[in-house]
């Protein structure tokens, strides 16, 4: 990206810098204010389980609305067009609803403090260790990606060297998380959500006006190298990498929709942690469901600007036509901002990007420190100390995680399409995890040994598919290799788990109450209606139904 | 029980409304004094003005919400079984 400085340099003036600086004052202020609420490790790691559902719901999607999402999805929008919406409408939404309706009662009801801790209670230590370590590793890697992207933006904007930006950005995130813990991260995520919308919505509207409205965009994309298929979501051949339309639909629905996305949204502790921080079972179940409503409209302010950029920004249109040039798809949003926004709104747009990158990184770090402190240090390394000790440990682990993320930022710079890189990581960890969880939650016969053996063999399968596709043995362009890898990992995990379960001894049924569906009494799985949970609009299952219906309508309208 | 605990030390809605409100004022003023060249850049829309006004409306709504439903004391004391 260094060579692109001159092309991408945004024409920021004093007023833009004031807008950016103001935001950082608020971010650090929230960290300071949230500190007053931290008096125990549960306050620090899970916000004392006290937050209202709309706060955790917005934090739930904001934690995911990081650099990878914003830049990666607008890059995908520029490259593939409308099929990118599948990441939201086929991928995210059904999985989020499933988490709220089906899985959250077990997470929240069993009072575990993290997803790996659920693993520990259901499957014992080996599965717990595998899960905790692979999760912690993935989080610092992804935090590195977010950090790197943040630094490139600052590099483009201010001309600061990448390493200076990396360190400054890391210090800001570090200071508010070590001060206020998860509350600071969550409150900042809510603030970030509104800033991101305030930044990207005007950009989208100006962009749409520029191309002559929706019909103008359809005409321009149809005439561009992308062609008309880029303006309809289905069948999305270019995205999935399958030439056959039928296979493409199957690949998207099962690979992306079922395995990858369910794996990500339902077992990723970054997300689940936000719901665990809410004040009761009803609020915990509503967290992902409330989040799904704004989530279904995020594509309009992320993917659409990417599509617009590919037809109105000359450099990007040339890159799309010839495959070479000084810019690439990851620059789509920046180029559009450069060309369309006046000073003032430009500053706000830059703030929105910085906010999103910090949201992502903060989310990674705040879940990393919880898993490291509760699941690895307290459980295996330094046991039975007073709570105060683990609170301090959490703060130091955050510092260590930040340092590692600075290191992994370098890894991220080696990939042209960050989304590909991230999908690979997710297929390693999340798809087999989802298989193990879902089998463990609904099949009481599944044994502890099956838990970890299934997990390891599933992960190994994903890595094998990755290696085969890198060496050209499996030839699927686009995201197809990820879909296949995730699907294979899921199937292998289920098969091996069933096989091992039949040969080993299951856990006592009394130990599985609250963890397995058939052994958990209904009262424990459903919420007691408490003060503040009245009204039809606060009923999780009904809300989920409305969300699902709206998503189906969106799929039909933009199909 | 846990329900009596305050939902955090401060009301995040007011914090959000303050930041967005300041942005709204700044952008609206910029929009009023906007030069034609800047408006042409944004395809003929005075985006600073409209964006700023939109943010002021948002701020008003958030303040209203925070006023109508404060967090510290639960407003409805109805029993759980309606």
């Amino acid at each position: 990206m260094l060579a692109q400085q001159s092309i991408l340099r945004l024409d920021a003036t004093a007023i833009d810098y004031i807008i950016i600086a103001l935001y950082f004052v608020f971010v650090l202020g929230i960290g300071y204010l949230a500190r007053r609420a931290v008096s125990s490790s549960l306050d620090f790691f899970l916000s004392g389980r006290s937050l209202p559902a709309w706060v955790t719901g917005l934090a739930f999607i904001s934690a995911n609305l990081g650099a990878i999402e914003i830049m990666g999805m607008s890059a995908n929008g520029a490259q593939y067009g409308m099929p990118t919406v599948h990441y939201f409408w086929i991928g995210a939404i059904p999985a989020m609803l499933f988490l709220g309706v089906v899985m959250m009662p077990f997470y929240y009801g069993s009072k575990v403090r993290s997803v790996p801790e659920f693993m520990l209670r259901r499957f014992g230590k080996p599965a717990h260790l595998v899960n905790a370590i692979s999760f912690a590793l993935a989080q610092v890697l992804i935090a590195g990606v977010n950090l790197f992207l943040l630094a490139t933006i600052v590099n483009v904007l201010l001309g600061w060297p990448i390493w200076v930006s990396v360190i400054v950005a890391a210090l800001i995130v570090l200071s508010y998380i070590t001060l206020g813990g998860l509350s600071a991260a969550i409150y900042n995520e809510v603030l970030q959500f509104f800033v991101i919308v305030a930044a990207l919505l005007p950009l989208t509207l100006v962009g749409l006006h520029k191309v002559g409205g929706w019909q103008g965009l359809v005409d321009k994309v149809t005439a561009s190298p992308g062609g008309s298929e880029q303006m309809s979501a289905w069948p999305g051949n270019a995205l999935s990498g399958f030439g056959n339309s039928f296979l493409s639909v199957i690949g998207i629905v099962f690979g992306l929709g079922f395995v990858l996305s369910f794996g990500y949204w339902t077992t990723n502790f970054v997300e689940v942690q936000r719901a665990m921080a809410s004040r009761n079972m009803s609020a915990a179940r509503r967290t992902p469901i409330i989040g799904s409503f704004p989530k279904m409209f995020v594509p309009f302010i992320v993917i659409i600007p990417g599509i617009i950029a590919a037809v109105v920004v000359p450099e990007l249109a040339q890159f799309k036509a010839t495959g070479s040039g000084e810019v690439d798809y990851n620059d789509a949003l920046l180029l559009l901002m450069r060309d369309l926004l006046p000073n003032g709104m430009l500053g706000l747009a830059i703030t929105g990007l910085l906010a999103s990158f910090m949201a992502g990184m903060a989310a990674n770090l705040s879940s990393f420190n919880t898993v490291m402190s509760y699941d690895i240090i307290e459980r295996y390394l330094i046991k039975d100390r007073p709570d105060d000790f683990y609170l301090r440990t959490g703060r130091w682990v955050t510092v260590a995680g930040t340092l590692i993320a600075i290191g992994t930022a370098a890894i991220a710079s080696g990939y042209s399409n960050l989304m590909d890189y991230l999908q690979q990581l997710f297929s390693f960890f999340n798809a087999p995890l989802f298989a193990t969880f879902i089998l463990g939650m609904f099949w009481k016969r599944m044994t502890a040994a099956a838990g970890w053996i299934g997990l390891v063999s599933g992960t190994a399968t994903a890595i094998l598919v990755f290696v085969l596709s890198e060496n050209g043995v499996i030839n699927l362009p686009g995201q197809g290799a990820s879909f296949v890898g995730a699907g294979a990992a899921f199937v292998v995990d289920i098969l091996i788990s069933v096989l091992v379960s039949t040969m080993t001894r299951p856990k006592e049924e009394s130990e599985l109450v609250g963890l397995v569906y058939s052994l958990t009494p209904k009262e424990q799985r459903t919420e007691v209606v408490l003060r503040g949970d009245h009204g039809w609009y606060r009923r999780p299952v009904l809300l989920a139904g409305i969300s699902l219906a709206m998503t189906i309508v969106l799929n039909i309208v933009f199909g | 029980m846990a329900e009596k605990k305050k939902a955090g030390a401060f009301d995040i809605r007011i914090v959000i409304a303050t930041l967005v409100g300041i942005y709204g004022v700044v952008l609206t003023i910029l929009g009023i004094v906007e030069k034609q060249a800047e408006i042409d850049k944004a395809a003929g829309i005075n985006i600073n003005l409209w964006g700023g006004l939109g943010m002021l409306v948002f701020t008003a709504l958030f303040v209203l919400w925070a006023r109508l439903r404060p967090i510290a004391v639960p407003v409805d004391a109805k029993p759980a079984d309606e």
Side-chain angles (χ1 to χ4, degrees):
Chain A
M1 274 239 199
L2 277 171
Q4 301 159 17
Q5 276 183 32
S6 54
I7 284 197
L8 284 166
R9 178 63 52 83
L10 301 175
D11 187 19
T13 58
I15 192 72
D16 299 313
Y17 289 110
I18 291 172
I19 288 175
I20 297 167
L22 198 61
Y23 174 71
F24 285 101
V25 170
F26 271 72
V27 165
L28 293 175
I30 287 178
Y32 178 75
L33 287 170
R35 187 195 167 123
R36 297 194 308 207
V38 176
S39 55
S40 70
S41 76
L42 198 65
D43 286 341
F44 186 77
F45 293 122
L46 284 179
S47 304
R49 297 194 200 267
S50 65
L51 300 178
W54 74 270
V55 167
T56 50
L58 285 180
F60 188 91
I61 54 165
S62 206
N64 169 261
L65 204 58
I68 296 120
E69 184 87 349
I70 302 252
M71 301 304 264
M73 287 302 169
S74 56
N76 276 345
Q79 186 173 2
Y80 301 117
M82 283 303 279
T84 312
V85 297
H86 294 315
Y87 284 102
F88 296 81
W89 298 340
I90 294 295
I93 306 274
M96 288 163 70
L97 300 179
F98 186 80
L99 172 65
V101 172
V102 179
M103 292 176 79
M104 193 52 70
F106 298 101
Y107 283 138
Y108 198 89
S110 63
K111 288 290 168 200
V112 293
R113 297 169 300 179
S114 69
V115 168
E117 197 167 295
F118 186 89
M119 270 317 225
L120 177 70
R121 296 202 23 208
R122 177 65 184 84
F123 297 115
K125 282 185 177 169
H128 175 247
L129 257 185
V130 171
N131 183 207
I133 291 173
S134 65
F135 176 80
L137 192 68
Q139 288 320 302
V140 284
L141 284 176
I142 299 169
V145 177
N146 274 311
L147 191 55
F148 172 74
L149 277 171
L150 194 153
T152 18
I153 298 303
V154 180
N155 173 264
V156 165
L157 167 69
L158 301 173
W160 292 12
I162 296 264
W163 67 271
V164 175
S165 321
V166 163
I167 290 170
V168 171
L171 277 179
I172 291 175
V173 173
L174 181 64
S175 49
Y176 74 76
I177 296 192
T178 44
L179 279 173
L182 185 65
S183 294
I186 285 184
Y187 282 137
N188 265 318
E189 279 157 10
V190 176
L191 179 70
Q192 279 151 350
F193 173 79
F194 289 107
V195 171
I196 291 166
V197 173
L200 293 181
L201 186 61
L203 180 67
T204 310
L205 293 177
V206 172
L208 269 181
H209 185 71
K210 171 102 174 170
V211 295
W214 183 256
Q215 193 52 47
L217 182 62
V218 172
D219 294 342
K220 284 210 167 57
V221 171
T222 307
S224 81
S228 61
E229 68 264 32
Q230 293 218 335
M231 284 313 286
S232 55
W234 296 100
N237 304 75
L239 181 76
S240 65
F242 293 105
N244 182 311
S245 296
F246 178 72
L247 281 181
S248 175
V249 172
I250 298 285
I252 286 172
V253 171
F254 286 95
L256 172 67
F258 186 60
V259 184
L260 266 183
S261 301
F262 272 64
Y264 174 77
W265 290 99
T266 61
T267 64
N268 190 331
F269 181 53
V270 179
E271 301 301 333
V272 177
Q273 186 181 25
R274 268 91 200 130
M276 282 180 175
S278 53
R279 62 185 173 193
N280 59 40
M281 173 74 92
S282 170
R285 294 184 74 189
R286 269 183 283 139
T287 294
I289 299 169
I290 290 175
S292 73
F293 288 96
K295 182 79 182 170
M296 70 181 75
F297 297 104
V298 168
F300 293 109
I301 58 169
V302 174
I303 297 173
I304 302 286
I307 301 177
I308 295 172
V311 290
V312 303
V313 178
E315 292 98 325
L316 198 62
Q318 188 207 346
F319 177 77
K320 192 163 178 172
T322 63
S324 63
E326 288 181 83
V327 297
D328 67 29
Y329 293 121
N330 286 323
D331 304 323
L333 269 189
L334 288 178
L335 290 165
L336 199 63
M337 283 161 49
R338 181 200 66 179
D339 284 0
L340 296 184
L341 294 184
N343 292 113
M345 204 42 101
L346 180 67
L348 188 57
I350 297 166
T351 309
L353 290 184
L354 294 177
S356 119
F357 299 172
M358 297 209 322
M361 187 189 167
N364 299 136
L365 283 179
S366 61
S367 55
F368 170 79
N369 66 19
T370 309
V371 167
M372 279 303 286
S373 305
Y374 276 157
D375 288 294
I376 295 178
I377 295 175
E378 184 181 3
R379 190 70 61 185
Y380 297 102
L381 302 177
I382 313 169
K383 299 174 192 169
D384 302 324
R385 294 289 186 89
D387 186 68
D388 189 43
F389 171 81
Y390 296 107
L391 174 58
R392 272 203 315 276
T393 306
R395 292 200 159 110
W396 282 111
V397 166
T398 314
V399 176
T402 310
L403 291 177
I404 302 170
I406 291 175
T408 54
I411 301 176
S413 60
Y415 287 78
S416 68
N417 193 334
L418 285 160
M419 209 58 211
D420 281 334
Y421 168 69
L422 259 280
Q423 292 293 349
Q424 296 297 353
L425 271 182
F426 291 155
S427 64
F428 288 176
F429 299 121
N430 285 333
L433 198 54
F434 175 59
T436 300
F437 262 94
I438 206 71
L439 203 59
M441 273 183 185
F442 289 95
W443 192 41
K444 64 182 181 184
R445 180 72 183 72
M446 185 172 179
T447 63
W452 75 267
I453 296 174
L455 206 52
V456 170
S457 52
T459 310
T461 307
I463 295 173
L464 181 70
V465 173
F466 174 70
V467 171
L468 288 181
S469 74
E470 286 290 290
N471 295 334
V473 180
I474 303 172
N475 189 18
L476 285 173
Q479 311 281 358
S482 288
F483 298 172
V484 171
F490 182 86
V491 172
V492 167
D493 186 314
I494 295 275
L495 289 179
I496 300 279
S497 297
V498 171
L499 199 67
V500 174
S501 287
T502 56
M503 295 186 293
T504 45
R505 225 169 63 86
K507 290 182 80 163
E508 294 296 327
E509 293 197 354
S510 58
E511 292 176 27
L512 297 177
V513 176
L515 304 174
V516 178
Y517 186 82
S518 59
L519 298 174
T520 308
K522 193 162 190 294
E523 308 83 68
Q524 209 173 321
R525 279 188 274 117
T526 44
E527 61 279 355
V528 185
V529 177
L530 296 168
R531 192 167 50 204
D533 292 332
H534 287 296
W536 61 269
Y537 57 91
R538 291 204 177 96
R539 283 173 43 204
V541 177
L542 183 64
L543 271 181
I546 297 171
S547 173
L548 190 64
M550 285 170 68
T551 310
I552 291 172
V553 170
L554 283 172
N555 258 299
I556 293 169
V557 172
F558 293 93
Chain B
M1 282 223 345
E3 269 62 53
K4 282 185 186 154
K5 199 171 167 183
K6 284 208 309 184
F10 60 100
D11 191 342
I12 186 68
R13 290 171 294 188
I14 296 297
V15 179
I16 293 169
T18 310
L19 180 66
V20 176
I22 297 173
Y23 282 166
V25 171
V26 171
L27 289 180
T28 306
I29 293 171
L30 277 178
I32 292 170
V33 300
E34 196 81 292
K35 295 193 193 72
Q36 191 57 41
E38 295 282 87
I39 296 174
D40 291 341
K41 186 182 181 188
I45 302 177
N46 190 340
I47 193 66
N48 276 339
L49 182 64
W50 290 110
L53 290 175
M55 283 173 215
L56 290 177
V57 171
F58 172 88
T59 305
L61 290 176
F62 249 57
V63 171
L64 195 67
W65 179 24
R67 278 287 160 86
L68 290 179
R69 297 206 167 207
I71 44 162
V73 191
V75 272
D76 74 321
K78 277 181 283 180
D81 53 336
E82 230 160 336

